[in-house]
Amino acid sequence: KKQKKNYQVVKTLRKEGLTYKQISDKMNEMGLSPIRTNKFTPSLVHSFEKKMEKRKNRLTRVFQPTLGEMKLVFENDYFD
């Protein structure tokens, strides 16, 4: 949940045209913190955004079902 909220903040601020430096400063001012450290840096914001995008793409990917050859075999002594 914390990462989702941080990601939404990053995406919103990026849409507003802020740089990673401005975003890291703003998020630190807002009292938001990353999972493993106590403050955001520009490089952390950048890698966080890219990793969350990869994660989002991986989790929302849709696979088309495929059917291969199938074989149905009845053995005579099975029901005896």
Side-chain angles (χ1 to χ4, degrees):
K1 287 186 175 186
K2 184 177 181 180
Q3 283 189 317
K4 269 188 174 180
K5 181 181 179 196
N6 287 346
Y7 180 66
Q8 290 169 343
V9 171
V10 169
K11 293 310 284 180
T12 301
L13 296 175
R14 287 293 290 162
K15 284 180 186 174
E16 292 176 11
L18 273 66
T19 64
Y20 291 115
K21 170 77 172 122
Q22 293 168 324
I23 292 172
S24 64
D25 291 342
K26 185 119 177 150
M27 291 179 78
N28 290 328
E29 289 171 13
M30 294 169 65
L32 300 174
S33 63
I35 298 289
R36 296 176 192 237
T37 65
N38 49 355
K39 71 176 200 167
F40 280 100
T41 61
S43 61
L44 184 65
V45 171
H46 177 266
S47 64
F48 174 71
E49 179 187 30
K50 298 305 173 197
K51 286 178 185 176
M52 287 298 286
E53 285 175 3
K54 282 176 78 174
R55 181 174 190 258
K56 182 179 169 189
N57 289 338
R58 185 177 66 244
L59 294 175
T60 58
R61 157 176 74 175
V62 176
F63 293 98
Q64 293 297 323
T66 58
L67 291 176
E69 279 191 42
M70 296 189 329
K71 186 176 179 183
L72 186 59
V73 176
F74 292 98
E75 296 183 15
N76 290 338
D77 61 348
Y78 182 76
F79 294 105
D80 292 333

